[in-house]
Amino acid sequence: QSALTQPASVSGSPGQSITISCTGTSSDVGGYNFVSWFQQHPGKGPKLMIYDVTNRPSGVSNRFSGSKSGNTASLTISGLQAEDEADYYCSSYTSRRTGVFGGGTKLTVL
Amino acid sequence: EVQLVQSGAEVKKPGESLKISCKVSGYSFTNYWIAWVRQIPGKGLEWMGIIYPGDSDTRYSPSFQGQVTISADKSINTAYLQWSSLKASDTAMYYCTRRELYHPLRFDYWGQGTLVTVSS
């Protein structure tokens, strides 16, 4: 199965909002409401930010939100802060009953 | 406190075998799935496979089917990832992570990672 498609990079200024897209197929993103987003800072492990498309785990800022339309899921970060600068990965459940990641998006806070 | 503690870094030669571990504590091992994720240096995350320690139900991503073996020993709350014959292309960081039963991608706790280096 192919990786989900994410933009290689996005950027924004502090206080702004940005959105990262994640495009798959009807066999993954479009077929299930099981999309997660992970944040990874350099040299660190991944951190769960969103699961089941829209849900935030306890402790994750409400500046992070998720949505989905058709075969494309999105992560929106509002009120951008310097600490949000990191790599972001989407992941979807698939028809093979496993998961698949996106290629990752590098977020730069200008 | 939930913890997933992985075994230490490994340096191996091509063709050698290897088994790395992920020991969990702070929760019931048989109530969550454990997945393995690969990250080649400077690259993205890749799904490898997942195991349910309760009954050892195991699923592999197509790219890793036949290339690795995932197992678990519920008597010692430990999951494993093993190779029978390593290649240089297996050089990567490997993470274990737990998943809730009814949320297929709610990977809320992660191990610290095990760096595997394969070089002649």
Side-chain angles (χ1 to χ4, degrees), chain A residues 1-4 22-35 68-73 91-101, chain B residues 47 61-62 104-105:
Chain A
Q1 62 213 46
S2 301
L4 306 176
C22 169
T23 301
T25 70
S26 58
S27 295
D28 39 64
V29 175
Y32 308 91
N33 285 323
F34 296 129
V35 175
K68 191 187 87 165
S69 177
N71 295 338
T72 298
S91 185
S92 174
Y93 190 67
T94 80
S95 57
R96 292 178 182 266
R97 300 189 305 159
T98 60
V100 62
F101 280 105
Chain B
W47 268 100
S61 288
L105 294 176

Side-chain angles (χ1 to χ4, degrees), chain B:
Chain B
E1 179 192 7
V2 173
Q3 287 191 310
L4 286 74
V5 179
Q6 298 184 228
S7 48
E10 301 273 1
V11 179
K12 292 289 192 179
K13 290 182 167 38
E16 291 186 330
S17 62
L18 175 64
K19 191 174 190 177
I20 63 174
S21 65
C22 172
K23 183 170 177 60
V24 314
S25 60
Y27 75 94
S28 175
F29 187 50
T30 54
N31 283 354
Y32 291 78
W33 293 73
I34 293 286
W36 287 93
V37 174
R38 182 175 81 173
Q39 187 168 36
I40 293 170
K43 302 296 184 183
L45 304 174
E46 298 175 271
W47 268 100
M48 298 182 74
I50 193 166
I51 187 167
Y52 177 57
D55 61 6
S56 292
D57 182 11
T58 308
R59 302 163 191 175
Y60 296 91
S61 288
S63 300
F64 293 94
Q65 180 81 47
Q67 306 305 307
V68 296
T69 301
I70 294 171
S71 60
D73 184 341
K74 55 188 179 183
S75 70
I76 55 172
N77 292 351
T78 302
Y80 300 97
L81 176 66
Q82 68 181 84
W83 295 259
S84 58
S85 181
L86 286 160
K87 310 180 192 67
S89 55
D90 293 317
T91 294
M93 181 72 84
Y94 293 88
Y95 294 100
C96 65
T97 174
R98 78 166 192 177
R99 189 214 99 172
E100 286 194 13
L101 289 183
Y102 301 112
H103 297 278
L105 294 176
R106 188 178 178 179
F107 290 96
D108 55 356
Y109 284 88
W110 292 68
Q112 82 277 19
T114 296
L115 181 62
V116 174
T117 302
V118 184
S119 174
S120 54

Side-chain angles (χ1 to χ4, degrees), chain A residues 20-85:
Chain A
I20 300 171
S21 62
C22 169
T23 301
T25 70
S26 58
S27 295
D28 39 64
V29 175
Y32 308 91
N33 285 323
F34 296 129
V35 175
S36 289
W37 290 89
F38 299 89
Q39 176 192 66
Q40 187 178 35
H41 287 107
K44 302 293 187 182
K47 176 185 177 183
L48 179 66
M49 305 304 284
I50 297 286
Y51 69 97
D52 295 354
V53 179
T54 61
N55 294 335
R56 271 189 315 276
S58 173
V60 172
S61 170
N62 60 8
R63 297 185 299 105
F64 292 82
S65 62
S67 63
K68 191 187 87 165
S69 177
N71 295 338
T72 298
S74 299
L75 173 71
T76 297
I77 308 174
S78 59
L80 212 53
Q81 298 179 1
E83 68 210 47
D84 299 332
E85 185 162 295

